[in-house]
Amino acid sequence: MAFTFDNKEEINEQEITDNNSTFDEDVDFGGMRSKYEIRTLICYLFNSVGQPMDKSLVVEAIQKKRLANYFEISSCFDDLIKKNNIELVDEKDNLYYVTANGEMVARELESTLALTVRERAYACAIELLEQRRIEKENKVTISKIDKGYNVNFAISGGDVTLMSFDVYAPDINQAKLMKANFYKNHELIYKATIGSLTRNKELVSESLLDIAKDF
């Protein structure tokens, strides 16, 4: 196994990090305050999600739930690479995946983590993966023009662009707001537009009611 408390080095590391105040920065009560726990959680996430992820997503999934701070998560991620618990499997997108050694760590040590820690980190990782998928398949391009910004929205249906349209934004903040809301409601926007173009009142009403729920 790549890391346990079976040797003096790991025991000393545990004692040092548990007493290190930097672990408490930006960490909620019940969060992780040792590298041992953070490494275990990272291996658990890869093994549970079951697909490659980039470093930024893993770090964000743990940090967003205030389970550990950014610097410790990033450091532990790099440690796991060195210890051959995770490895680069896609150089183009910088995607990593758990190795056989990392899987063993996840299976044998996940019970040392609090259930709430595992559940919160896993749910956030799944949410971020879905967000990345949506952003990859549906593009938003913000371009500066003379009197503001042009925002192009493109909704994909795999290899086919189902819809593409431009909207004017007077400033960058409104352009970014449009982008964020598009990703939240791109399917409903598509349904409402198609319903309007085909004069399908039921589809339009259903789409607008769903959108209104978020207001």
Side-chain angles (χ1 to χ4, degrees), residues 3 19 32 35 41 61 81 87 97-99 108 123 132 141 147 159 161 169-170 178 182 184 191 196 209 212:
F3 59 93
N19 293 311
M32 298 175 295
K35 289 186 176 181
L41 181 60
I81 297 173
E87 63 182 357
Y97 196 57
V98 67
T99 63
E108 296 189 9
R132 296 278 181 93
T141 305
K147 297 182 179 180
D159 296 331
T161 299
M178 289 180 179
F182 170 77
K184 291 180 182 178
K191 286 171 59 179
S196 298
L209 285 173

Side-chain angles (χ1 to χ4, degrees), residues 6-186:
D6 293 338
N7 59 67
K8 186 176 180 180
E9 179 183 354
E10 285 291 350
I11 292 173
N12 288 340
E13 179 187 34
Q14 175 74 2
E15 291 174 348
I16 292 171
T17 54
D18 279 350
N19 293 311
N20 191 339
S21 61
T22 60
F23 270 81
D24 294 327
E25 295 178 7
D26 301 319
V27 182
D28 282 346
F29 177 78
M32 298 175 295
R33 290 171 172 79
S34 78
K35 289 186 176 181
Y36 177 95
E37 292 177 307
I38 299 171
R39 290 172 184 164
T40 302
L41 181 60
I42 293 173
C43 288
Y44 167 79
L45 279 179
F46 274 107
N47 199 45
S48 299
V49 170
Q51 68 181 81
M53 297 180 285
D54 63 51
K55 180 179 179 178
S56 64
L57 189 147
V58 174
V59 172
E60 184 178 355
I62 299 174
Q63 184 190 20
K64 192 173 183 179
K65 294 299 181 180
R66 299 179 66 85
L67 298 173
N69 69 57
Y70 172 86
F71 298 104
E72 298 301 339
I73 305 167
S74 181
S75 175
C76 287
F77 193 99
D78 294 339
D79 288 344
L80 289 171
I81 297 173
K82 295 175 184 177
K83 292 173 180 287
N84 193 37
N85 294 123
I86 57 177
E87 63 182 357
L88 184 66
V89 294
D90 185 334
E91 293 186 7
K92 180 182 177 181
D93 294 323
N94 290 316
L95 299 179
Y96 290 82
Y97 196 57
V98 67
T99 63
N101 193 38
E103 288 180 1
M104 180 177 66
V105 169
R107 290 194 304 269
E108 296 189 9
L109 297 182
E110 67 174 71
S111 61
T112 65
L113 299 171
L115 179 60
T116 54
V117 167
R118 283 180 277 156
E119 289 179 339
R120 288 162 65 188
Y122 174 79
C124 191
I126 294 298
E127 179 183 323
L128 291 172
L129 281 169
E130 176 63 12
Q131 180 180 323
R132 296 278 181 93
R133 182 192 66 79
I134 291 173
E135 292 179 3
K136 185 176 181 179
E137 294 179 358
N138 305 279
K139 303 294 184 181
V140 178
T141 305
I142 300 175
S143 304
K144 184 74 175 71
I145 56 178
D146 289 341
K147 297 182 179 180
Y149 292 84
N150 182 75
V151 188
N152 175 261
F153 303 91
I155 298 176
S156 172
D159 296 331
V160 179
T161 299
L162 299 177
M163 179 186 295
S164 179
F165 58 94
D166 294 334
V167 177
Y168 168 76
D171 56 64
I172 189 62
N173 290 329
Q174 186 170 340
K176 289 180 178 179
L177 181 61
M178 289 180 179
K179 178 179 179 178
N181 287 324
F182 170 77
Y183 282 132
K184 291 180 182 178
N185 300 294
H186 65 285

